[in-house]
Amino acid sequence: LCKAGSVTSVGIAQTSVDFTVALGHQNGTASIWHLERKHQRKWQQAAALQVSHHDWESVDVIAVSGDGRLVLACTADNALLSSLSQTGSGAMEPTELRHLHGGAKQVAAAEIVMLSDEAYLVLIAFQSGILEGWVAANVEAAASGNAGSSNLVERRWQLSLHGRLIALSSGSTEEQDEDDVAVYLAGADAEGSVFLWQLDNEGSLLNNKPLWQARPSSHGMPASSLAVVRASYGADPQPAWWVVVGCGSEVAILHIMSGKEVQR
């Protein structure tokens, strides 16, 4: 999967039918690869994206939606959000939905969550300390030329944080009731803190303030890995949501609603 050059970032999506891997490269490009489970188990390159404007740019942050149809690829000077539509023979045609340019828009971490079959929540943490949520809807209309791509992406909210987030992870509960939490969003900053926000099924924050803040590292280290997972734990057979944080040689499991440590 490295035909396009050295890999500098990786995004992974999985469905019951296939796997999608989005790779960011040292040369400022991104490549999208598919592996279908039901057919020949061979990786095929589905699309290639030119993200950079300069030779020195590499794609250091990349995120892909669960269905592999939306990709955000970011360099130190550009952030490109694209939709991918099937064109036949495994190939996919990229359509630019939004493009940010300039060092002030440098992205530190990103996630893409599926809100429905037609809507996506794009979560972006900027190096400046800004956290934004974009909603992209009806992306197929842009690919078919039935709608202007600039009208399909809305910035739903923006937070100015005291610290700079270096990692994001999310979990979609697939709740349909608008009063229920639809998305859990965890963020880790460079100072060793971890935060948890809740969002509804339209991608809006239930509260601008995080539900909780924790410092899981006993040495004050920032998170080296972060994941929101749904799994059974202990004697309870029912799956529940947890935040798992890696800090150097430590791994802490935090309760999704309280941020309290349940195991280390």
Side-chain angles (χ1 to χ4, degrees), residues 4 7 34 41 50 94 126 147 152 162 185 204 223-224 234 246:
V7 174
H34 283 313
R41 288 182 174 270
Q50 180 63 50
F126 293 95
L152 300 179
H162 294 298
L185 171 63
S204 298
S224 53

Side-chain angles (χ1 to χ4, degrees), residues 51 57 61 72-80 98-110 124-132 134 155 157-159 164:
V51 184
E57 295 179 67
V61 176
L72 177 69
C74 311
T75 72
D77 199 45
N78 289 277
L80 180 64
R98 191 167 185 180
H99 183 198
L100 302 180
H101 179 66
K105 295 294 186 180
Q106 187 173 356
V107 174
I124 306 177
F126 293 95
Q127 295 279 6
S128 61
I130 298 294
L131 176 63
E132 291 186 354
W134 302 351
R155 190 180 71 185
W157 49 266
Q158 182 186 74
L159 295 178
R164 174 177 59 89

Side-chain angles (χ1 to χ4, degrees), residues 6-258:
S6 300
V7 174
T8 50
S9 54
V10 179
I12 299 174
Q14 179 179 344
T15 69
S16 59
V17 178
D18 61 12
F19 292 96
T20 301
V21 174
L23 301 177
H25 299 284
Q26 181 71 41
N27 63 3
T29 66
S31 57
I32 315 301
W33 300 79
H34 283 313
L35 175 65
E36 292 190 11
R37 301 188 191 189
K38 293 185 178 181
H39 303 289
Q40 184 179 5
R41 288 182 174 270
K42 181 180 179 181
W43 287 98
Q44 289 187 320
Q45 183 171 350
L49 304 172
Q50 180 63 50
V51 184
S52 67
H53 290 169
H54 309 284
D55 292 340
W56 52 265
E57 295 179 67
S58 60
V59 177
D60 301 316
V61 176
I62 195 164
V64 60
S65 62
D67 60 0
R69 293 169 57 192
L70 208 66
V71 177
L72 177 69
C74 311
T75 72
D77 199 45
N78 289 277
L80 180 64
L81 179 66
S82 303
S83 66
L84 302 174
S85 57
Q86 198 74 41
T87 60
S89 302
M92 303 191 79
E93 181 69 27
T95 299
E96 180 180 311
L97 298 181
R98 191 167 185 180
H99 183 198
L100 302 180
H101 179 66
K105 295 294 186 180
Q106 187 173 356
V107 174
E111 278 273 299
I112 300 178
V113 182
M114 294 181 63
L115 297 174
S116 67
D117 290 340
E118 294 295 333
Y120 303 82
L121 174 62
V122 183
L123 301 158
I124 306 177
F126 293 95
Q127 295 279 6
S128 61
I130 298 294
L131 176 63
E132 291 186 354
W134 302 351
V135 173
N138 301 316
V139 295
E140 285 296 325
S144 62
N146 293 329
S149 59
S150 61
N151 299 323
L152 300 179
V153 181
E154 170 200 355
R155 190 180 71 185
R156 184 63 52 90
W157 49 266
Q158 182 186 74
L159 295 178
S160 295
L161 306 177
H162 294 298
R164 174 177 59 89
L165 295 182
I166 57 174
L168 292 175
S169 182
S170 61
S172 176
T173 67
E174 300 181 352
E175 295 285 353
Q176 299 302 313
D177 188 339
E178 63 180 10
D179 294 328
D180 290 333
V181 177
V183 177
Y184 292 112
L185 171 63
D189 70 12
E191 304 302 320
S193 293
V194 176
F195 309 85
L196 195 285
W197 289 272
Q198 297 172 310
L199 299 94
D200 63 20
N201 59 6
E202 294 184 348
S204 298
L205 290 165
L206 296 184
N207 195 316
N208 286 353
K209 294 183 178 180
L211 182 64
W212 51 259
Q213 177 179 346
R215 293 181 64 85
S217 172
S218 58
H219 304 292
M221 296 176 59
S224 53
S225 58
L226 179 70
V228 175
V229 299
R230 188 170 188 261
S232 299
Y233 178 80
D236 189 351
Q238 295 298 321
W241 287 97
W242 313 94
V243 178
V244 183
V245 187
C247 302
S249 61
E250 301 175 307
V251 177
I253 301 176
L254 310 181
H255 193 281
I256 195 77
M257 297 304 295
S258 67

